[in-house]
Amino acid sequence: MTELQGIWRTLDLAPTVDTSAIRKAYAGVLKTFDIDDDPERYSALRDARDAAIAQARSGLLDEGDEIGSTGEPEADLNFADGYDEWFEGDVDNSVNATSTGSLRSAGDQPDHPAGDAAHTQDAAMQGHYDAVLAILFPGDEREGAALDRPTAATLAEHVRALLADERLEELKFYADAERWFAEVIASAPLRSDPVLTQVIEHFGWLAGRGRIDQSPAIAAVVERRDALAFATELQNRRHPLHRAWRELRRPATETSRRGWGVRRSTIWRLLREIRTHHPSLERELDWYRVGLWERAPRFTLSWRTVWAICAVAFFILRAVYDTDTSPRSPASSTVSASAYASPAITLDPVLAQLGGTDLTMAKIRSGNAKLYGQLHADWMVARDTATDPRTFADTMFRLLSDRYVAGSNRAPHELLAKIATLRLDKARLLRGHDWKACDDFFVDGTEPLGRIPPDIAARRSALVARVLLETDGDPPAKPLGNTFKVDGTVIDKAAERSGLPRAEFVKAVLKGGNAMTRCKAKIALGETALTLPGKQGNEILRHF
């Protein structure tokens, strides 16, 4: 019997191109056993469902075809496909089969005792879920870009229909729907903006603002809402920070200068407000113009003082010109190159981009004198050679990124564990979108635009700052090898955690298998390494 036949046998379904029938069969088989009692069967059933859907979409349903010949199972942001990853729990099977079906699509539901009307209603709601995901995660260059008005109106209509679903009166369905909305909206901060207020008011998230039990996703959505409200206030010309907001959003280049009519104290008030209460708004600012103001002198002059200085300077120059009528020698007319002011060079934007407010030259000077000496020397060379500011910024960004990698490999266990935990949190989040995104993240660090919520980005900035301040980031004398040994008992624990057979787990760790198995294996290996003693776990975490 071929592998394709084995997949359909696992689903207890004849080969079909009807993906709804595949999901319905999957749900039916899922109810026949307990996930906790038979995790291997559960893993095989999910693999069979994903492979069958991929085959159905490709049209390759001949009995002689094998799933393995068509590549990895297709993964997309379809609600019916992705909901299992959002809400069925991690590979430890902490959620059982009964608790995973509350928000499934019509194809995943058992036969409806109420008849075709209930089935039609479920299918209609599933269409709204699919439409919301298609708008928020288009899978092309539109991701991360704000919606146009017609699309925003369409999104609002679909969300309005979902929030009117009668099943929200059921406690379990309500909780699952609330979690789904929070995760999806937090992962699409720009495209979901038109429905923020709509969803927040429906679930009453503002009442829980700042509470310790509020989920990170809901907290991120509420923070985004507050940031947008503050940005709206700043649009009012009467707002005391309006001019500063308008100034910091103006595009700047190496030839730009700070704008007139804005006090430096007002600029700093706005930056302090954004960085303290609305950090997501900083992406709305022009980082180069922010740098121009951050290195501005610490005093400001009133218009009257400026005019007075100009008038005095004019009369002095006029007097000198009238009294000095002798011809100038060639030497006296020579002007040194340093007299021509080159565009200012600063490290502030680079440090802010990498480590946020936790990474400044003052903190580097007190925390890592060696790194400070190198950065200061590079800055002086760039200043004296009139290096283009953007070229200097790119060079420093690469240098600090390399030092972060080298420093991470030398980090003590406590810091290394925090870095690995953040990496695992990112991988789990991406796994909720699709397996390929998770696999790409482990392979080359790819983080799809708009899918990393602000709280995780803030944690990353804080860790980057800690590594650069607390570790030696000099290039290692001997490069870190690509091979390392893992004890057999560790492999057994990680394989059990992943829900994969041992042989398949080892194959996935060695970059075999498909995107799904590789992602499961890497997450399980990292989770297992965090439970090991420092020296034993560190070797895995440094290669994780």
Side-chain angles (χ1 to χ4, degrees):
M1 177 176 289
T2 66
E3 186 179 356
L4 179 59
Q5 291 171 317
I7 289 170
W8 297 111
R9 171 170 290 182
T10 301
L11 291 167
D12 193 22
L13 179 69
T16 178
V17 296
D18 186 354
T19 56
S20 294
I22 294 172
R23 298 187 189 104
K24 184 175 180 179
Y26 164 79
V29 176
L30 190 63
K31 293 180 179 294
T32 63
F33 67 99
D34 192 308
I35 294 175
D36 295 328
D37 293 340
D38 198 349
E40 290 188 8
R41 183 180 179 186
Y42 171 59
S43 178
L45 179 62
R46 291 184 62 168
D47 291 346
R49 179 206 60 185
D50 294 340
I53 289 175
Q55 286 289 298
R57 289 172 176 168
S58 68
L60 300 177
L61 291 175
D62 295 337
E63 291 192 359
D65 290 337
E66 294 188 1
I67 292 299
S69 65
T70 63
E72 299 170 2
E74 180 179 343
D76 56 22
L77 284 173
N78 180 279
F79 177 82
D81 297 336
Y83 187 78
D84 300 315
E85 284 65 58
W86 281 96
F87 296 113
E88 283 186 355
D90 294 329
V91 293
D92 59 2
N93 303 310
S94 58
V95 183
N96 60 34
T98 303
S99 65
T100 61
S102 300
L103 271 177
R104 297 196 183 284
S105 67
D108 284 342
Q109 300 289 348
D111 293 335
H112 292 265
D116 292 341
H119 188 280
T120 302
Q121 173 67 12
D122 287 353
M125 288 300 166
Q126 181 59 43
H128 291 302
Y129 280 111
D130 292 339
V132 169
L133 290 176
I135 292 174
L136 296 183
F137 307 103
D140 52 31
E141 67 279 359
R142 292 173 295 171
E143 287 204 10
L147 299 179
D148 55 39
R149 288 189 177 182
T151 308
T154 301
L155 175 64
E157 291 176 4
H158 289 300
V159 170
R160 189 178 301 108
L162 292 175
L163 296 179
D165 191 343
E166 295 178 354
R167 291 174 296 179
L168 285 172
E169 297 178 2
E170 303 170 12
L171 183 61
K172 179 63 175 66
F173 191 94
Y174 182 95
D176 286 346
E178 181 181 35
R179 182 179 176 187
W180 185 84
F181 271 110
E183 295 285 358
V184 169
I185 292 177
S187 299
L190 281 177
R191 301 183 69 81
S192 64
D193 287 352
V195 296
L196 276 180
T197 302
Q198 187 179 359
V199 175
I200 288 174
E201 291 180 352
H202 182 88
F203 291 106
W205 290 340
L206 290 182
R209 182 197 281 117
R211 281 189 352 208
I212 193 171
D213 61 339
Q214 191 172 62
S215 74
I218 294 178
V221 174
V222 172
E223 189 279 329
R224 179 66 181 168
R225 178 263 180 196
D226 292 343
L228 291 176
F230 181 60
T232 301
E233 294 175 6
L234 293 174
Q235 300 293 336
N236 187 340
R237 293 178 178 273
R238 295 183 178 181
H239 195 284
L241 301 178
H242 169 73
R243 289 187 177 181
W245 169 255
R246 188 175 60 183
E247 163 67 11
L248 292 182
R249 297 185 70 201
R250 287 197 302 131
T253 66
E254 60 271 14
T255 59
S256 299
R257 295 292 183 267
R258 298 188 302 276
W260 291 93
V262 184
R263 292 179 177 273
R264 184 176 183 273
S265 58
T266 307
I267 294 289
W268 276 105
R269 280 179 56 198
L270 176 60
L271 288 175
R272 184 167 56 252
E273 179 70 20
I274 288 176
R275 290 169 177 173
T276 303
H277 302 292
H278 312 291
S280 64
L281 277 186
E282 189 151 11
R283 73 185 67 175
E284 305 286 340
L285 309 179
D286 183 88
W287 69 269
Y288 196 91
R289 186 165 293 280
V290 171
L292 291 176
W293 281 96
E294 287 185 324
R295 61 176 178 268
R298 293 186 175 275
F299 61 91
T300 56
L301 300 176
S302 66
W303 283 100
R304 292 182 179 179
T305 304
V306 171
W307 280 113
I309 292 174
C310 291
V312 171
F314 172 78
F315 286 113
I316 292 176
L317 291 174
R318 180 65 180 270
V320 171
Y321 178 80
D322 291 340
T323 58
D324 186 8
T325 57
S326 60
R328 295 181 180 272
S329 64
S332 64
S333 61
T334 302
V335 181
S336 65
S338 61
Y340 295 97
S342 61
I345 295 175
T346 178
L347 269 165
D348 294 337
V350 177
L351 298 178
Q353 184 179 357
L354 286 169
T357 56
D358 294 324
L359 191 64
T360 63
M361 283 298 284
K363 291 182 178 180
I364 293 175
R365 185 173 187 175
S366 60
N368 192 334
K370 184 177 181 181
L371 175 59
Y372 177 83
Q374 180 180 358
L375 295 178
H376 186 67
D378 290 342
W379 175 81
M380 292 183 66
V381 170
R383 181 198 61 183
D384 294 341
T385 58
T387 302
D388 175 72
R390 289 189 182 273
T391 301
F392 173 71
D394 291 341
T395 302
M396 292 297 98
F397 186 88
R398 288 192 297 270
L399 180 144
L400 289 170
S401 297
D402 291 342
R403 293 187 68 88
Y404 168 74
V405 174
S408 298
N409 293 329
R410 295 191 177 106
H413 177 72
E414 179 268 337
L415 183 53
L416 192 60
K418 287 184 179 293
I419 296 172
T421 300
L422 176 64
R423 189 168 171 82
L424 281 171
D425 288 344
K426 287 183 179 180
R428 295 188 192 104
L429 180 65
L430 295 175
R431 177 189 62 186
H433 291 284
D434 59 65
W435 294 110
K436 188 176 185 305
C438 175
D439 186 43
D440 290 343
F441 171 71
F442 279 123
V443 172
D444 55 19
T446 302
E447 298 178 4
L449 188 64
R451 295 187 184 177
I452 302 299
D455 63 308
I456 290 185
R459 285 169 55 195
R460 181 186 183 280
S461 295
L463 284 175
V464 170
R466 279 197 61 185
V467 171
L468 291 175
L469 291 172
E470 300 176 12
T471 64
D472 180 7
D474 285 346
K478 183 180 179 181
L480 187 67
N482 293 324
T483 60
F484 59 100
K485 294 181 180 180
V486 180
D487 187 80
T489 57
V490 176
I491 294 178
D492 292 337
K493 291 179 181 178
E496 181 180 1
R497 182 183 287 269
S498 71
L500 299 172
R502 192 180 194 278
E504 189 174 354
F505 171 83
V506 172
K507 180 181 178 181
V509 170
L510 297 176
K511 301 182 180 179
N514 56 39
M516 178 171 54
T517 58
R518 289 194 295 269
C519 178
K520 286 182 177 181
K522 288 288 285 186
I523 290 177
L525 183 61
E527 291 173 338
T528 303
L530 287 173
T531 66
L532 301 175
K535 185 175 181 180
Q536 186 181 10
N538 285 354
E539 186 174 12
I540 299 175
L541 295 178
R542 289 193 178 99
H543 291 82
F544 172 63

